[in-house]
Amino acid sequence: MTLTVNAFSANKAGMTGLDKEKIQKIISSNTSSNFQEYSSKQIHRIEARIKRNNELLSRLSQEEIAKAESEMNLEAAHIEAERELTRVKVHIDMDAFFASVEMRDDPTLRSIPMGVGTDLMLGTSNYIARKFGVRAAMPGFMARKLCPELTIIKGDYLKYRKESSIIRKVFDEYDPNLESGGLDEVYMDITDYVAARKDPVSRKRIRYRGDCVCRLPLLSENDAINIVNEIRFRVEQISGLTCSAGIASNWMLAKICSDINKPNGQFRLADDKETIIEFMRTLPIRKVSGIGAVTEAILKGIGVEKCGDLFEKRGIIKLLFTELSWHWFLRVALGVSQRGASEETDNCLRHRKSISTERTFKPTIQLETLLDTIHFLCADLIESLAEGNILGGHVATLSIKFANFDRISRSQSANYRIDTVDNFYPMMERLLRKEMKRGLKIRLLGVRLSKLEFLEKETDATKRKSQKSLHEFLVPKKRLSASTTNEDSDDLFSDQFTIPPSEADSTEIPSTSSRSTIQCPICNQNFVYDENGKINSHIDECLNLEIINKMEETPSEAAIRPIKQAKSSSKSSTERYKAFNELLYC
DNA sequence: GGAAACCCT
DNA sequence: GGGAAGGGTTTCC
Ligand SMILES: Nc1ccn([C@H]2C[C@H](O)[C@@H](COP(=O)(O)OP(=O)(O)OP(=O)(O)O)O2)c(=O)n1
Ligand SMILES: [Mg+2]
Ligand SMILES: [Mg+2]
Ligand SMILES: [Mg+2]
């Protein structure tokens, strides 16, 4: 049996038609034996699972399988009865997000292959680099072998986070209850918006600063496709960044669709059962969010490669997997989202569940240095709590990665609130000392707080959506009504972008207005009405200035960075973190 | 409750 | 020579 575990999913956007053999060769020939052993261990584990599955399978009688299959048929009928085809679900995902931001801000990067990250790891790459096989989650040094010309930019996480909040204001207008999946993507339900928008809306151009591409004013139609085009267009105007969208009757499908015409494109999957089932029939399972490298390999081990196979093999699947899993697999196969009469009473806004920080460094066994490292990590984490209105946590976890890449975690609950270095560090120290007895070199340490307590302020910014679980992906949670969502008082664009769908943007000159002067909605400067071009370009500049100001509002020191070194306010910490800093790779 | 193995960006 | 960092859920004990 030859097992393939694809660490990288096949055919990522912008990576079709690549010489995968050649790329794989270059990757393997640059893999250290250390990492190779780690990968082999992973593969062996999966092989063992596949073998076990096959043994279980060989002991099953045809009757048992037939019975399971008919039970699945029943289940499928239930799912089918709940198939929801009337919602307009949209997934929007920024194109090469981190890389696009860097390209926007430095024109010299626009025409060359580049990646964002470090020599050790890339967070993403631009589409030029993808042609060489360079992609997210690939070490920078490997990427250089594939593409010697590659420029690697160290990212600025704070910048991306700010960018994320800027574009989200556009999405918010179309669905105030949108759910976020990471910095660069959102899940929306624009059914109500589409229904509410009766008349075409004309919007004036808002040019992003710099020499980005600008387009003419937009006059949008009112169907889903045009509205999503409009959303993407406005995102580009406000940010200078492109995105791609998927439109379908549920989020699982929409997410898959947003990748189809990436970059800067969109795809709509028709909302009828036949189209959906045919779409799923030939769709590689890995495309589904929630099916990763391991599940792909395990399913392949029982002959499942396409989502359609999940239905074909439903009998054995029911017998080999947990109920949650087989149920979800079945829904995936059918491409079904349900929206039953019984909705979860549960919320849709939720607090984050944990906060963590970790560092990779040159493997060491020196206790002092390691202790200083966790001291730094603890201090860093405690310091970052305020930003998220977190008071502290009741569970502290130490994460260790040994030189051979094996990872363990050790956690401890407390009946008091862990909220200072003084009541955090000692716990971590104790846990670390215990594990040091193994006498193994360590390459990463991390600390985490969970069971968090929050400073209860009614600001939505402190809350976040839960990650969609297998089940939730297909069964949407009940949404808050729009009226329960508060306006951010410090929202720069609150005047511009909270206008009901039927009205035009305030950046557009009201055609019904007979006033002879008009006020810039941002700086309140007055303009004579017929100086049309003048006010428009003024507002452009004003808006752009706002964005720039906002970016500069928080100094780069303030929050998360991709790689943070130990810096300190006091001399003693400078000394304390010295050895640790020297071991940091970046 | 704790730990590991998945998953996602 | 070198393989990240942040967050989540599910499963097993
Ligand atoms: N393993 C990963 C994957 C992603 N990211 C970061 C960098 C990406 O820019 C951003 C968004 O992830 P996407 O998966 O959406 O990838 P991109 O936006 O970069 O590219 P695409 O155009 O394929 O969406 O998250 C990361 O740090 N590490
Ligand atoms: Mg993206
Ligand atoms: Mg994304
Ligand atoms: Mg997947």
Side-chain angles (χ1 to χ4, degrees), chain A residues 495-558:
Chain A
D495 284 336
Q496 271 74 52
F497 296 140
T498 52
I499 293 167
S502 54
E503 297 176 37
D505 265 5
S506 64
T507 49
E508 186 193 22
I509 295 164
S511 53
T512 52
S513 168
S514 57
R515 284 186 313 210
S516 59
T517 66
I518 187 162
Q519 206 177 37
C520 169
I522 294 146
C523 70
N524 294 333
Q525 194 180 333
N526 284 304
F527 286 81
V528 179
Y529 178 59
D530 60 9
E531 283 178 305
N532 217 326
K534 205 168 175 179
I535 174 101
N536 272 339
S537 58
H538 168 83
I539 291 175
D540 274 7
E541 295 309 316
C542 236
L543 258 179
N544 294 337
L545 204 64
E546 286 281 304
I547 295 168
I548 294 163
N549 285 341
K550 178 154 197 202
M551 282 178 163
E552 289 166 354
E553 223 168 59
T554 327
S556 268
E557 291 306 305

Side-chain angles (χ1 to χ4, degrees), chain A residues 47-202:
Chain A
E47 269 174 352
R49 283 180 63 177
I50 293 174
K51 194 165 155 229
R52 199 177 68 92
N53 274 348
N54 285 331
E55 281 165 7
L56 285 172
L57 221 49
S58 68
R59 285 197 214 99
L60 291 171
S61 67
Q62 286 308 309
E63 290 73 39
E64 284 172 301
I65 294 173
K67 179 164 171 280
E69 191 173 310
S70 71
E71 285 163 1
M72 287 293 259
N73 289 343
L74 217 59
E75 204 54 55
H78 284 145
I79 294 168
E80 193 58 64
E82 291 165 357
R83 190 190 283 274
E84 171 61 79
L85 296 170
T86 66
R87 306 302 293 180
V88 184
K89 301 281 189 177
V90 180
H91 179 253
I92 298 190
D93 187 294
M94 302 304 292
D95 301 325
F97 187 46
F98 292 4
S100 298
V101 173
E102 299 306 329
M103 289 163 80
R104 180 196 67 190
D105 294 345
D106 179 357
T108 67
L109 299 174
R110 293 181 195 171
S111 53
I112 60 173
M114 59 88 72
V116 179
T118 68
D119 246 25
L120 284 193
M121 189 53 66
L122 299 180
T124 192
S125 61
N126 68 5
Y127 279 73
I128 303 172
R130 289 184 196 191
K131 292 245 160 43
F132 295 84
V134 172
R135 54 183 300 170
M138 177 178 280
F141 65 86
M142 286 252 196
R144 279 221 174 77
K145 308 279 183 188
L146 288 168
C147 175
E149 308 277 86
L150 186 74
T151 297
I152 296 178
I153 303 290
K154 193 170 121 179
D156 178 351
Y157 215 83
L158 179 58
K159 185 156 100 173
Y160 311 139
R161 197 211 262 176
K162 286 182 168 180
E163 206 60 45
S164 177
S165 88
I166 289 170
I167 58 176
R168 193 144 307 170
K169 291 180 198 312
V170 176
F171 304 137
D172 257 325
E173 263 188 74
Y174 297 81
D175 178 7
N177 295 319
L178 62 83
E179 297 210 14
S180 131
L183 284 183
D184 94 318
E185 58 192 85
V186 290
Y187 294 89
M188 296 190 287
D189 183 333
I190 62 167
T191 315
D192 298 341
Y193 182 94
V194 173
R197 200 158 103 170
K198 296 277 188 315
D199 307 310
V201 176
S202 100

Side-chain angles (χ1 to χ4, degrees), chain A residues 147-291:
Chain A
C147 175
E149 308 277 86
L150 186 74
T151 297
I152 296 178
I153 303 290
K154 193 170 121 179
D156 178 351
Y157 215 83
L158 179 58
K159 185 156 100 173
Y160 311 139
R161 197 211 262 176
K162 286 182 168 180
E163 206 60 45
S164 177
S165 88
I166 289 170
I167 58 176
R168 193 144 307 170
K169 291 180 198 312
V170 176
F171 304 137
D172 257 325
E173 263 188 74
Y174 297 81
D175 178 7
N177 295 319
L178 62 83
E179 297 210 14
S180 131
L183 284 183
D184 94 318
E185 58 192 85
V186 290
Y187 294 89
M188 296 190 287
D189 183 333
I190 62 167
T191 315
D192 298 341
Y193 182 94
V194 173
R197 200 158 103 170
K198 296 277 188 315
D199 307 310
V201 176
S202 100
R203 299 177 195 278
K204 288 291 177 183
R205 173 171 64 81
I206 304 165
R207 182 167 42 81
Y208 182 77
R209 77 185 148 99
D211 50 356
C212 289
V213 182
C214 295
R215 297 188 204 167
L216 294 171
L218 182 78
L219 191 70
S220 179
E221 302 290 329
N222 295 313
D223 62 311
I225 288 177
N226 277 286
I227 287 171
V228 172
N229 250 318
E230 170 185 299
I231 296 172
R232 298 195 302 110
F233 175 74
R234 293 181 64 198
V235 166
E236 187 177 354
Q237 287 180 108
I238 206 171
S239 67
L241 304 169
T242 64
C243 59
S244 301
I247 310 166
S249 55
N250 66 58
W251 280 336
M252 177 197 70
L253 296 173
K255 164 96 173 161
I256 294 161
C257 290
S258 69
D259 212 49
I260 292 178
N261 284 324
K262 205 171 233 310
N264 199 12
Q266 61 186 55
F267 181 86
R268 175 179 183 159
L269 185 68
D271 294 332
D272 63 274
K273 179 182 153 181
E274 291 70 30
T275 306
I276 293 170
I277 288 184
E278 179 57 22
F279 180 76
M280 297 311 288
R281 199 175 60 80
T282 55
L283 186 77
I285 51 177
R286 184 73 179 266
K287 295 272 183 191
V288 176
S289 181
I291 296 182

